[in-house]
Amino acid sequence: MSYSTIILTLSDGVATITLNRPDKLNAFTAQMHGELRGALASVAADKSVRALLLTGAGRGFCAGQDLADRAVSAGDEPVDLGHSIETNYNPLVRTLRALEIPVVAAVNGVAAGAGANLALACDIVLAARSASFIQAFCKIGLIPDTGGTWMLPRLLGMARATGLAMLGDKVSADRAEAWGMIWKCVDDEQLLPNATALAADLARQPTRGLAFIKQALAASPSNTLDQQLDVERDLQRLAGGTRDYREGVAAFMAKRAPSFEGR
Ligand code: T3D
């Protein structure tokens, strides 16, 4: 399949999706949503893909919804944003969270609105030092979407989540790391090399085990300790049945490097 608003490449078990509307800081149009959905479906179906890297072309990561598609004149019917969220943004977050491979975001520049929360929906977020995160929604009368109202309080606590959501302040990559909003901030020229190496390393790890970790952590916020202990028991049972677990133990006992197949 060919795409014009994103680029999909595959190498060494890593699929890389680059949002590719650099002149508009990779803002989302309906076409880009459709192409991203298609690319994610092909990534999910390809068993040779064991990690996904998401980044942006040009100087931005993603500026959220393309507001040129939302400009209305007086007298026009308002766009049903609930429909847009239901059709595009919610399935995107659900798909990323359900992918049974690790998802790395390489935030190369500004991530605003849904673009910021798209990054936060990834499993591991690396950001260039010059990148920034902006909950821009309040500036145009909207609320953080794309999982923002769920993610921000969990990552930052209610005080910072409320401040960012209501004030729309720009958070530098350095501060995002210091606040625990992202995994790491790196020098600009190191972003892609580091993110590519990280994704390649993840693609060589026990993929099923990583998927179970993702599942267990996702279940945690709404569970009691008791419920979560049950989740751990059930997922550990599944992890213990994988070939990679057997290989991990065998390699440890033989004092050699393991060779995981992702099964
Ligand atoms: O509608 C629904 O379906 C509901 C869902 C909504 C989800 C959302 O994401 S709502 C929030 C939408 N996003 C924003 O409000 C962010 C808008 N952009 C900005 O505030 C700024 O552009 C940035 C802070 C991100 C970056 O500022 P700066 O000064 O570095 O760049 P710039 O000059 O503003 O932007 C560069 C170009 O990108 C410019 O185009 P031009 O004039 O050179 O042709 C600008 O218009 C364009 N651009 C940036 N963001 C958007 C955009 N064009 C359309 N939509 C954008 N969101």
Side-chain angles (χ1 to χ4, degrees):
M1 188 166 170
S2 73
Y3 304 107
S4 60
T5 61
I6 64 165
I7 301 167
L8 171 62
T9 59
L10 302 176
S11 170
D12 294 333
V14 178
T16 300
I17 296 179
T18 305
L19 305 176
N20 190 31
R21 300 185 68 231
D23 293 350
K24 300 296 173 191
L25 304 180
N26 305 314
F28 272 107
T29 58
Q31 183 184 0
M32 192 162 102
H33 273 296
E35 293 187 2
L36 186 53
R37 248 192 319 275
L40 289 173
S42 77
V43 164
D46 184 343
K47 291 302 162 211
S48 73
V49 174
R50 291 171 61 189
L52 171 64
L53 177 61
L54 182 62
T55 191
R59 73 176 179 89
F61 174 72
C62 175
Q65 171 63 38
D66 190 315
L67 296 177
D69 289 353
R70 294 290 179 265
V72 286
S73 311
D76 287 352
E77 278 293 306
V79 179
D80 178 356
L81 299 191
H83 177 74
S84 164
I85 299 290
E86 185 63 24
T87 313
N88 293 319
Y89 293 97
N90 284 357
L92 173 58
V93 175
R94 289 187 172 117
T95 300
L96 288 171
R97 303 297 282 184
L99 269 187
E100 294 185 324
I101 55 173
V103 182
V104 177
V107 181
N108 51 300
V110 65
N117 296 333
L118 168 64
L120 301 184
C122 297
D123 298 313
I124 297 185
V125 187
L126 290 184
R129 205 164 300 283
S130 67
S132 55
F133 298 82
I134 311 175
Q135 297 294 324
F137 308 89
C138 57
K139 309 277 188 193
I140 55 171
L142 297 185
I143 70 162
D145 57 26
T146 317
T149 59
W150 190 89
M151 199 61 87
L152 291 169
R154 283 170 173 79
L155 290 172
L156 303 176
M158 203 52 92
R160 283 174 174 160
T162 308
L164 293 186
M166 289 196 165
L167 301 172
D169 283 4
K170 181 189 280 197
V171 179
S172 68
D174 269 321
R175 175 165 289 186
E177 180 188 319
W179 280 5
M181 195 164 108
I182 64 168
W183 172 239
K184 227 175 239 180
C185 161
V186 298
D187 290 339
D188 286 18
E189 62 282 6
Q190 289 305 314
L191 178 70
L192 269 189
N194 277 11
T196 306
L198 177 65
D201 182 45
L202 285 166
R204 290 189 293 269
Q205 300 306 315
T207 310
R208 300 299 305 144
L210 297 186
F212 296 141
I213 290 172
K214 186 164 170 167
Q215 230 177 298
L217 293 176
S220 152
S222 57
N223 274 348
T224 61
L225 173 60
D226 232 32
Q227 292 166 324
Q228 193 63 15
L229 288 172
D230 289 349
V231 168
E232 290 177 3
R233 174 202 59 213
D234 294 344
L235 291 173
Q236 200 72 301
R237 178 172 290 136
L238 295 175
T242 61
R243 290 167 65 132
D244 282 343
Y245 168 61
R246 234 185 286 171
E247 165 63 6
V249 174
F252 177 81
M253 296 309 292
K255 299 190 187 302
R256 64 171 171 78
S259 171
F260 296 118
E261 297 172 5
R263 288 189 287 164

